[in-house]
Amino acid sequence: DIVMTQSPATLSVSPGERATLSCRAARSATTNLAWYHQKPGQAPRLLIYGASTRAPGIPARFSGSGSRTEFTLTIDSLQSEDFAVYYCQQYNNWPFTFGGGTKVEIK
Amino acid sequence: EVQLVQSGAEIKKPGESLKISCKGSGYRFPGYWIGWVRQMPGKGLEWMGIIYPADSDTRYSPSFQGQVTISADKSISTAYLQWSSLKASDTAIYYCARHGLTHDAFDVWGQGTMVTVSS
């Protein structure tokens, strides 16, 4: 299995500020990397796939970058609805493993 | 509208069997991989396995191989996750989700099924 490690575990950010989340793969995932967020009581929602392609309907303040083993999700000008848990997932090799998550909370 | 609708919450006893469902609509169900994801209480997401309904090709995570069975009936656009003998540690929310057509990220998710196993 490819182990996915996210950091930090918790990120405290003020509304309007930028958040930068990291995801590291234990071995190369090429660019087969997705980001999701999950709000309490809801199913996850796809934000980014292919490491940098926004899913339909996702605002431009969300951007993804990286390849192989190092990936970043950047959220510009955080809105109230962005406070949630964020997960990365590699889909380069079965099983398609998730990271442990980063909780973005209001500072 | 593309959607996945899962069956309702279940309360079972250890040792009992269970089969939960995930019905797709608004798209060509056989042509998209459907996966299952576990979320234990207060924890993160775990990829369990995936099935291609057109031919029932199935892949399991080693962590779940032998513990659950994934199946699908393309004639009624429904995927299933089943257990033959539940344990208390199976208590979790189970999500089904669909791969994209051009990528293998999960682009559509079901609402989740809460399974509680308790004596």
Side-chain angles (χ1 to χ4, degrees):
Chain A
D1 298 11
I2 297 180
V3 176
M4 306 299 292
T5 303
Q6 292 186 242
S7 60
T10 304
L11 187 61
S12 297
V13 186
S14 299
E17 291 188 340
R18 171 182 288 184
T20 303
L21 288 67
S22 295
C23 175
R24 174 173 292 177
R27 51 191 173 92
S28 179
T30 63
T31 55
N32 292 321
L33 190 285
W35 290 95
Y36 306 85
H37 71 184
Q38 185 181 31
K39 300 176 187 178
Q42 295 186 18
R45 182 182 182 185
L46 178 64
L47 302 171
I48 300 284
Y49 64 92
S52 61
T53 302
R54 277 189 302 279
I58 300 303
R61 64 180 181 273
F62 290 91
S63 62
S65 64
S67 65
R68 296 181 56 80
T69 62
E70 299 286 340
F71 302 90
T72 300
L73 176 70
T74 302
I75 313 169
D76 286 320
S77 188
L78 269 157
Q79 307 296 301
S80 58
E81 61 266 29
D82 300 334
F83 292 96
V85 180
Y86 289 78
Y87 295 97
C88 62
Q89 181 204 19
Q90 67 80 21
Y91 53 91
N92 198 61
N93 293 95
W94 310 100
F96 294 166
T97 42
F98 291 93
T102 291
K103 181 179 181 181
V104 177
E105 64 176 24
I106 299 174
K107 187 174 182 179
Chain B
E1 180 192 5
V2 175
Q3 57 180 351
L4 297 172
V5 178
Q6 297 185 230
S7 49
E10 301 275 0
I11 300 176
K12 307 292 278 187
K13 291 182 169 26
E16 292 185 332
S17 63
L18 176 65
K19 191 174 189 177
I20 62 175
S21 66
C22 169
K23 183 174 178 60
S25 61
Y27 73 99
R28 184 179 166 272
F29 184 82
Y32 291 74
W33 290 86
I34 291 278
W36 288 94
V37 176
R38 183 175 79 175
Q39 188 166 41
M40 299 177 77
K43 301 299 184 182
L45 306 174
E46 299 175 88
W47 191 93
M48 301 177 70
I50 200 154
I51 189 165
Y52 190 63
D55 61 9
S56 291
D57 185 9
T58 308
R59 314 290 171 89
Y60 291 93
S61 166
S63 299
F64 292 93
Q65 179 87 47
Q67 308 304 308
V68 296
T69 301
I70 294 170
S71 60
D73 184 341
K74 62 184 178 183
S75 69
I76 55 171
S77 300
T78 301
Y80 301 97
L81 178 66
Q82 68 181 87
W83 296 259
S84 58
S85 181
L86 286 159
K87 302 184 282 289
S89 57
D90 293 318
T91 295
I93 297 173
Y94 294 87
Y95 294 101
C96 65
R98 187 194 80 166
H99 274 183
L101 191 59
T102 60
H103 59 81
D104 290 339
F106 287 132
D107 67 347
V108 179
W109 291 70
Q111 82 276 20
T113 296
M114 179 70 216
V115 173
T116 303
V117 184
S118 175
S119 54

